[in-house]
Amino acid sequence: MAPIRDETVEGLRDLVSKLETRVEQLEAELEQTTGGPSARKQKNPSSGIRMILMGPPGAGKGTQAPKIKDKYCVCHLATGDMLRSQVAKKTALGREAKKIMDQGGLVSDEIMVGMIKGELENNQDCRQGFILDGFPRTVEQAERLDGMLHEKTQKLQHAVELQIDDSLLVSRITGRLIHPASGRSYHKIFNPPKESMKDDVTGEPLIQRSDDNAETLKKRLSTYHEQTSPVVSYYKKTGIWKPVDASQEPGQVWKSLLGVFGEDKPSSTAGSLLSRIGLRS
């Protein structure tokens, strides 16, 4: 019998990992339909999640945040999407923000804090908790956020950083497609929609953002590392920072996130297929 080559084993690992992810998705859909434990948890979560989701552009925040929102019944406050909404409406704020974003820069703290505070106070979806995506980007913003939450007798529970090498981001970004209304993201190659340039859920048109190009990406990455990396150090000191490898297949990233939230138990049905066939110790 010919020996099994390393690349064959790696291929099997990848295939089985995707199968496990699909089994978990089907189980979740079944429980929601039949009113199983997961469905009850989603409808009546025992405690909300208050978290920030960090990572460079293209790391997968737009893919993972909606899944967290749906599972834990919290609001997803993507500051970039909120700003782009203002741009689309051509408000004074929108015109100012467009100039900054087109140059790869960051909008002022005053604008961002005002928007987020308003959402937390007036958005009914934020009652159980929130995911902040794109804020804070600086230590000053992090301190201001902590102060605002302290006034509400709340505190952040998780600061998750999606980590990925810059060199992997160019191909991700230049092929990215966005559904503006929901924030759902796709990719022309890696995660294409079922129908070309249409959202899987609503059938509405997808767009490619004007700043999703290699030149602007380099500026955005430079700005991200310069201003946002200190925020990681800030949350490391508070003890709520957790890293997640964002170069993995999206299903594996989701499993890593569940581990951060304390839900890393293996699927009862899947039972870890990798372990069963001897590809995981």
Side-chain angles (χ1 to χ4, degrees), residues 81-263:
D81 290 341
M82 286 191 281
L83 282 170
R84 280 185 286 275
S85 175
Q86 295 293 319
V87 170
K89 295 175 182 176
K90 297 183 179 180
T91 63
L93 171 62
R95 289 193 295 270
E96 179 184 354
K98 187 176 189 305
K99 293 179 182 178
I100 298 172
M101 290 190 293
D102 285 348
Q103 296 171 358
L106 301 174
V107 178
S108 70
D109 292 359
E110 183 179 359
I111 294 173
M112 301 311 306
V113 170
M115 278 198 310
I116 293 170
K117 183 177 181 181
E119 288 289 331
L120 294 181
E121 292 177 349
N122 302 310
N123 188 338
Q124 293 297 308
D125 291 340
C126 297
R127 288 178 299 175
Q128 294 287 353
F130 56 83
I131 310 158
L132 282 179
D133 172 0
F135 185 94
R137 294 180 184 268
T138 67
V139 171
E140 291 75 16
Q141 290 177 350
E143 291 173 341
R144 185 174 295 195
L145 175 63
D146 281 348
M148 181 178 69
L149 292 175
H150 179 72
E151 292 175 359
K152 298 175 176 292
T153 65
Q154 296 179 346
K155 61 187 298 186
L156 283 172
Q157 297 167 311
H158 307 285
V160 177
E161 182 187 11
L162 299 181
Q163 298 181 327
I164 185 171
D165 191 88
D166 286 0
S167 63
L168 298 177
L169 292 174
V170 175
S171 59
R172 280 193 177 190
I173 282 289
T174 54
R176 185 164 63 172
L177 302 170
I178 304 293
H179 178 237
S182 68
R184 281 185 290 274
S185 62
Y186 302 84
H187 193 279
K188 293 179 180 179
I189 299 174
F190 305 123
N191 182 34
K194 295 175 182 177
E195 187 174 350
S196 178
M197 295 303 294
K198 291 187 178 180
D199 178 49
D200 288 351
V201 178
T202 65
E204 295 172 345
L206 301 176
I207 65 167
Q208 186 161 21
R209 284 166 37 184
S210 61
D211 56 351
D212 278 354
N213 60 75
E215 182 178 352
T216 304
L217 174 61
K218 291 178 182 179
K219 292 181 181 179
R220 293 170 68 194
L221 287 174
S222 176
T223 301
Y224 172 81
H225 291 305
E226 178 182 349
Q227 296 194 354
T228 311
S229 293
V231 178
V232 172
S233 298
Y234 176 85
Y235 286 117
K236 282 182 178 178
K237 293 177 182 178
T238 67
I240 65 172
W241 172 83
K242 290 291 188 300
V244 170
D245 180 4
S247 67
Q248 304 175 94
E249 184 267 330
Q252 288 300 308
V253 176
W254 175 239
K255 292 174 70 174
S256 297
L257 286 169
L258 292 179
V260 170
F261 304 143
E263 298 195 23

Side-chain angles (χ1 to χ4, degrees), residues 63-81:
T63 298
Q64 302 299 334
K67 298 175 72 172
I68 300 172
K69 172 186 174 181
D70 291 343
K71 181 173 179 62
Y72 295 99
C73 301
V74 297
C75 64
H76 173 206
L77 301 180
T79 53
D81 290 341

Side-chain angles (χ1 to χ4, degrees), residues 3-17:
I4 299 177
R5 297 162 62 180
D6 289 345
E7 54 266 36
T8 302
V9 173
E10 288 302 317
L12 287 171
R13 283 198 179 104
D14 182 62
L15 175 60
V16 172
S17 176

